[in-house]
Amino acid sequence: MSLVAAAVCPHPPLLVPEVAAGAAGELHDLRVACRAAVAHLTNASVDSLIVVGSDTTTVRRQPPFGGTLYPWGIDLPVGDPSGEELPLSLLIGAWLAPHAGDFQSVAADAPPAECARLGRALAGEAERVGLLVLGDGSSCRTEKAPGFFDARAEPFDAAVAAALAAADAAALAAIDPGEAGELLVAGRAPWQVLAGACQAADRKMAGELLYDAAPYGVGYFVATWR
């Protein structure tokens, strides 16, 4: 039982064209990359596809679950809105992969060791496990970014992109939570869950970086591991 495939995507609400409206074209390439990443998981013929994203607490979500994009400007239902409400990261995950049946939140402030333990546990849940990991990079890439400009943001994101491209679990596991928090990185904990799952597989994985850009001053990455 182990991890055989993974996809990493960001979770901005603007990823959904109906939310982006007139600006939908600005993230066209990002959407194409996300669709390709999710298709990678489907093609891997996994026994269990688990969506992982950050929230205030670490919780395994039991169906039915879903929500609406109303807080972001349009009352568009995702999943089963009558069930447990998903946080934004998992809501975008449900929009990207409506066929996924397992949703796991991880506390945004969870220590790296806790993230690694969770990743190892998830990797052991089925013979062939696939992970869809949702997380944004730094929100401090430009002066108009949500966190304003921080000179550390670009090299931080460059290191994450390199780790994702190389399927370097050790590099993801080594991300400093303090620096990630200061740079308003939403993906640190989920990426470290992925690192733990990969290390539990005890095999070298191959990575491919499909997207690396910072529209709106926020680092977005799309990658596949196999």
Side-chain angles (χ1 to χ4, degrees):
M1 297 190 292
S2 66
L3 178 73
V4 297
V8 174
C9 295
H11 55 71
L14 290 176
L15 195 60
V16 180
E18 292 88 343
V19 174
E26 296 177 7
L27 295 183
H28 171 76
D29 291 346
L30 175 58
R31 292 187 196 94
V32 170
C34 288
R35 286 196 293 268
V38 173
H40 159 77
L41 293 174
T42 302
N43 295 337
S45 300
V46 298
D47 300 320
S48 176
L49 173 55
I50 305 171
V51 181
V52 180
S54 65
D55 193 16
T56 55
T57 57
T58 299
V59 177
R60 186 58 170 265
R61 310 283 170 158
Q62 300 298 326
F65 39 60
T68 174
L69 291 164
Y70 180 78
W72 296 276
I74 182 170
D75 192 10
L76 179 70
V78 177
D80 186 348
S82 68
E84 183 179 4
E85 185 174 354
L86 295 175
L88 175 61
S89 61
L90 297 183
L91 192 65
I92 296 300
W95 179 78
L96 285 170
H99 56 291
D102 295 293
F103 285 69
Q104 174 73 56
S105 67
V106 57
D109 60 355
E114 181 180 322
C115 296
R117 285 194 297 272
L118 176 59
R120 290 192 294 270
L122 296 180
E125 288 193 1
E127 191 67 29
R128 296 176 60 84
V129 174
L131 295 182
L132 173 57
V133 179
L134 283 302
D136 299 348
S138 169
S139 296
C140 304
R141 292 282 291 271
T142 68
E143 291 184 356
K144 293 184 178 181
F148 197 62
F149 174 74
D150 190 313
R152 299 172 297 169
E154 187 169 352
F156 178 96
D157 283 350
V160 172
L164 293 174
D168 189 342
L172 292 183
I175 293 174
D176 175 50
E179 182 181 23
E182 292 169 2
L183 294 174
L184 305 183
V185 176
R188 190 275 306 172
W191 298 334
Q192 291 186 325
V193 171
L194 169 60
C198 182
Q199 291 167 338
D202 195 27
R203 66 161 67 97
K204 175 62 180 175
M205 302 192 81
E208 182 178 3
L209 188 65
L210 305 181
Y211 186 92
D212 172 17
Y216 317 121
V218 181
Y220 297 150
F221 317 105
V222 179
T224 58
W225 289 15
R226 63 187 183 279

